[in-house]
Amino acid sequence: MANFEFSDDFNYTPERNAFGKFAIAALKFLALSFSIALAVYLFIVIFYTSEDQRKMRQEIRFVNTVLGSIKENEALLADGVEVVLEKDDQIYREIFKSQAPRADIFSDLMGKNIPAEIYGLKETNPVAFTKEVAAALGPQVKKVEANLIAVMARLQVEEDVKSFYPLGYPPLANYSYARTGASVGMKNSPYYNIPKSHNGLDMVAPVGETVYATGEGVVSDISKDKKGNGNAVTITHSGGYKTVYAHLADIFVTKGKTVQAGTKIGTVGVTGTTFAPHLHYEVYKYDHVVDPTGTFFRSLDKDTYAKLYIQASQTSKTLD
């Protein structure tokens, strides 16, 4: 059997054993304390926020919400401006046979390198500024006056206006934007739920409500089908325009009859292929589809007209 010998400096004693246990316990305590401190720190950093931080986060959320709303309103405003400009061009093309003016009355001033203080109302000499503005407005006033004289010369009598643009009377009385459905474009069909070309404007109304001619013309067609437009009246107007009134219940006019704006031509129904009672109103010019919302600019105030256009463009599903 082998003999084991201990060196002189390694002798087992109870004191040495006790010290080792104390050292291990101390290390464990330090490790546990550090772990607890670290956990508390992380908890504070992740979950605890000061009052100032809480308020700041609330303000950031509020700003983000407001910013989103501003962006949406900005997009709607941009669409509205685009619509107004397009309708302005349409009016000039159809009635005045010319391009709508796009004059900027300050364009002349901008070209003179006037200091920015003038535009910030910091100019100490307002008389000089007024003279500059008047000088810039002079040529613009002359242009507007010349255009007005030319327009008045073309529109000598009211009948001239009708010949240029014969539409404008609403097909339903007391019409409001809340009764506006889908307009022209690719819209979802209520029967197949797939995009389908929609050539008119859906105008919500109860069965039996009176339908009126939107302008002077001649009834050129009357159809009574079990599908499609159902009972429908087509009126041919001057200037290459044609209007269609579909899904009627009753028809009060006959083919070849001359009607005026506001003539009763029938009542709202649910004939043909339709999901709910409404008037389907179509407008054509030389057999090309025209957005009917553009024909109401003369009969509605600007706020109602803007809401009508937005409602019609945003409605994605038709009623027929």
Side-chain angles (χ1 to χ4, degrees):
M1 183 174 180
N3 294 324
F4 294 95
E5 296 181 358
F6 292 95
S7 61
D8 294 338
D9 60 344
F10 188 79
N11 294 320
Y12 172 79
T13 62
E15 291 77 7
R16 286 196 176 188
N17 184 47
F19 177 76
K21 291 182 178 180
F22 174 77
I24 293 174
L27 289 175
K28 289 183 177 179
F29 175 78
L30 290 175
L32 180 61
S33 300
F34 177 78
S35 299
I36 294 175
L38 180 61
V40 171
Y41 173 77
L42 292 176
F43 177 82
I44 293 175
V45 170
I46 296 174
F47 298 102
Y48 177 77
T49 56
S50 65
E51 183 66 19
D52 291 339
Q53 289 175 325
R54 187 181 63 81
K55 291 182 178 180
M56 185 175 295
R57 289 183 179 179
Q58 288 180 344
E59 291 178 358
I60 291 175
R61 287 195 294 268
F62 176 75
V63 169
N64 288 335
T65 301
V66 174
L67 181 60
S69 177
I70 291 175
K71 289 182 178 180
E72 291 179 1
N73 291 334
E74 181 184 7
L76 288 176
L77 180 60
D79 292 341
V81 171
E82 185 177 352
V83 170
V84 171
L85 293 177
E86 174 60 27
K87 299 310 174 187
D88 190 34
D89 288 337
Q90 181 181 356
I91 292 171
Y92 270 81
R93 286 195 302 268
E94 302 298 336
I95 299 180
F96 306 137
K97 305 299 182 182
S98 64
Q99 183 68 28
R102 290 286 186 269
D104 181 1
I105 61 174
F106 290 101
S107 58
D108 291 340
L109 282 176
M110 300 297 272
K112 294 184 178 180
N113 298 321
I114 294 179
E117 298 88 270
I118 292 181
Y119 298 103
L121 301 180
K122 297 180 180 180
E123 173 62 40
T124 56
N125 187 356
V127 175
F129 175 70
T130 302
K131 289 182 178 180
E132 292 286 349
V133 173
L137 287 176
Q140 301 296 340
V141 171
K142 291 181 179 180
K143 291 180 182 179
V144 172
E145 184 179 8
N147 288 337
L148 182 60
I149 293 175
V151 168
M152 294 303 295
R154 300 192 64 171
L155 306 180
Q156 296 179 359
V157 293
E158 185 178 356
E159 293 301 319
D160 290 337
V161 179
K162 293 181 180 179
S163 64
F164 286 134
Y165 199 80
L167 309 179
Y169 193 95
L172 297 176
N174 301 319
Y175 186 65
S176 66
Y177 75 93
R179 303 173 67 182
T180 303
S183 188
V184 170
M186 295 301 295
K187 306 290 184 178
N188 287 335
S189 167
Y191 295 98
Y192 308 106
N193 199 28
I194 59 174
K196 182 181 177 182
S197 180
H198 192 243
N199 293 336
L201 174 66
D202 290 341
M203 308 175 74
V204 180
V207 173
E209 180 169 345
T210 303
V211 177
Y212 303 90
T214 56
E216 180 181 348
V218 177
V219 177
S220 55
D221 187 52
I222 292 178
S223 59
K224 295 183 179 181
D225 299 324
K226 294 183 178 180
K227 295 183 179 181
N229 285 341
N231 295 342
V233 173
T234 301
I235 300 177
T236 298
H237 310 270
S238 59
Y241 286 96
K242 182 173 65 177
T243 54
V244 178
Y245 313 77
H247 307 307
L248 302 177
D250 299 315
I251 297 177
F252 301 150
V253 292
T254 56
K255 187 174 181 179
K257 177 180 176 61
T258 299
V259 297
Q260 305 296 325
T263 298
K264 297 179 180 180
I265 62 173
T267 59
V268 174
V270 286
T271 59
T273 306
T274 176
F275 187 73
H278 73 287
L279 171 66
H280 178 78
Y281 175 60
E282 298 178 352
V283 178
Y284 296 87
K285 181 168 185 181
Y286 299 121
D287 294 327
H288 294 289
V289 176
V290 176
D291 188 347
T293 58
T295 66
F296 298 137
F297 64 89
R298 287 193 298 169
S299 57
L300 300 175
D301 62 86
K302 61 180 181 180
D303 292 334
T304 302
Y305 179 73
K307 292 177 181 178
L308 180 149
Y309 181 85
I310 295 173
Q311 178 83 358
S313 61
Q314 291 184 344
T315 302
S316 60
K317 182 170 289 188
T318 67
L319 294 175
D320 46 32

